[in-house]
């Protein structure tokens, strides 16, 4: 099957889109499914170097977030190709890149014989997206968004650093905190503790792995806070 041709049929000509339009499409793709969001981000970062299909699929499957993913590895890779975050590269037996003009006039079987390997590499759009959305930057934004909640976020990070925590323990830790109070349409409402978990997960700091625990990025961020006397 000529996968590259199928992808090309689904896409507007990239030359017709601005960088910002392609970035907006990539952002929509990554942010669309909460359970896949961090997987897609990490896949873009992993493919900063060209990665063969099998290596990319194995990387995705090994991520703790993949346990709850709603799509398989190949579908997620192709969604990033369709949204301009990844280039799909076809190579022949000698490792040379197969160009579209080389496949002109060939049957599907002949294309299959020509293409020995598929690999993926991030585009300029994908690279920019990864750099802009680094977990450390997302966490800084989160902690400064509502300053009166900063200490609670840090305490929660420290709580799950000690050991993976079921949600019930986190709920018990946070219930009754003033940080859960928010004003909606002039009325004081109480948020669920799950809001804090969700926001830290979206920022790339928490992952479910037999309990809520720190990601590598979350652990590094907390260590930086400790070094700077903020935790």
């Amino acid at each position: 099957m000529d996968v590259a041709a199928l992808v090309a049929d689904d896409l507007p000509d990239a030359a017709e889109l601005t960088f910002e339009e392609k970035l907006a499409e990539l952002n929509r793709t990554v942010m669309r499914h909460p359970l896949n969001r961090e997987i897609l981000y990490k896949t873009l970062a992993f493919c900063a170097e060209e990665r063969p299909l099998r290596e990319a699929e194995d990387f995705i499957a090994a991520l703790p977030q993949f346990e709850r993913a709603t799509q398989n590895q190949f579908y997620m890779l192709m969604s990033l190709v369709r949204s301009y975050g990844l280039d799909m590269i076809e190579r022949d037996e000698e490792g040379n890149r197969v160009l579209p003009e080389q496949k002109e006039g060939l049957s599907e079987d002949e294309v299959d014989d020509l293409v020995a390997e598929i690999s993926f590499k991030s585009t300029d759009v994908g690279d920019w997206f990864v750099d802009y959305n680094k977990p450390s930057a997302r966490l800084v934004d989160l902690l400064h968004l509502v300053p009166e909640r900063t200490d609670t976020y840090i305490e929660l990070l420290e709580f799950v650093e000690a050991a993976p925590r079921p949600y019930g323990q986190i709920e018990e830790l946070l219930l009754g905190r003033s940080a859960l109070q928010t004003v909606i349409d002039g009325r004081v409402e109480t948020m669920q503790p799950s809001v804090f978990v969700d926001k830290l997960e979206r920022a790339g700091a928490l992952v479910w792995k037999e309990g809520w625990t720190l990601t590598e990025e979350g652990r590094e961020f907390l260590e930086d806070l400790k070094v700077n006397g903020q935790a």
Side-chain angles (χ1 to χ4, degrees):
M1 179 185 297
D2 190 349
V3 179
L6 290 176
V7 173
D9 288 343
D10 288 344
L11 288 173
D13 185 350
E16 297 176 0
L17 300 178
T18 65
F19 183 91
E20 289 74 17
E21 287 171 330
K22 288 184 277 191
L23 183 61
E25 181 61 31
L26 177 59
N27 188 70
R28 279 192 293 271
T29 295
V30 175
M31 300 301 178
R32 184 178 296 130
H33 299 294
L35 294 178
N36 302 336
R37 183 184 299 128
E38 203 62 23
I39 301 170
L40 293 171
Y41 172 83
K42 288 179 179 292
T43 299
L44 286 170
F46 181 69
C47 292
E49 299 178 16
E50 185 177 334
R51 306 287 186 175
L53 172 61
R54 176 58 62 85
E55 186 178 341
E57 288 187 325
D58 288 348
F59 170 80
I60 293 171
L63 293 172
Q65 293 91 345
F66 187 66
E67 184 178 327
R68 301 194 297 155
T70 64
Q71 299 164 344
N72 64 39
Q73 302 101 300
F74 186 72
Y75 187 94
M76 284 191 274
L77 286 163
M78 296 311 297
S79 72
L80 291 172
V81 173
R82 292 189 181 94
S83 55
Y84 311 101
L86 292 180
D87 274 332
M88 188 179 72
I89 300 166
E90 296 176 318
R91 296 194 180 278
D92 61 21
E93 289 284 358
E94 297 179 354
N96 299 312
R97 187 161 187 168
V98 176
L99 302 176
E101 51 266 29
Q102 293 175 258
K103 297 187 289 184
E104 290 179 4
L106 298 183
S107 68
E108 188 171 303
D109 287 341
E110 289 171 329
V111 170
D112 287 342
D113 290 339
L114 176 62
V115 177
E117 182 178 74
I118 295 173
S119 59
F120 299 88
K121 188 179 187 307
S122 59
T123 63
D124 290 346
V125 174
D127 290 340
W128 194 97
F129 183 90
V130 167
D131 189 60
Y132 183 79
N133 289 283
K134 286 180 178 177
S136 57
R138 284 183 271 164
L139 283 163
V140 168
D141 288 345
L142 176 61
L143 265 60
H144 287 87
L145 184 62
V146 183
E148 55 267 29
R149 295 178 188 157
T150 298
D151 289 345
T152 303
Y153 280 121
I154 293 173
E155 185 177 356
L156 180 51
L157 291 173
E158 291 176 323
F159 186 60
V160 301
E161 178 191 29
R165 306 287 186 174
Y167 175 69
Q169 290 185 10
I170 294 174
E171 186 177 38
E172 185 177 342
L173 174 74
L174 298 183
L175 278 177
R177 300 292 184 92
S178 60
L180 293 176
Q181 302 298 311
T182 188
V183 177
I184 301 175
D185 295 330
R187 299 192 309 272
V188 176
E189 303 281 355
T190 300
M191 300 184 298
Q192 293 298 315
S194 59
V195 172
F196 281 76
V197 175
D198 178 63
K199 289 184 180 297
L200 286 171
E201 182 187 21
R202 291 181 65 175
L206 295 187
V207 63
W208 178 265
K209 195 174 182 182
E210 298 181 357
W212 289 107
T213 188
L214 293 179
T215 62
E216 180 181 342
E217 295 86 354
R219 196 172 302 279
E220 291 174 356
F221 183 78
L222 183 58
E223 286 301 317
D224 286 343
L225 290 179
K226 291 177 180 179
V227 168
N228 294 317
Q230 296 174 269

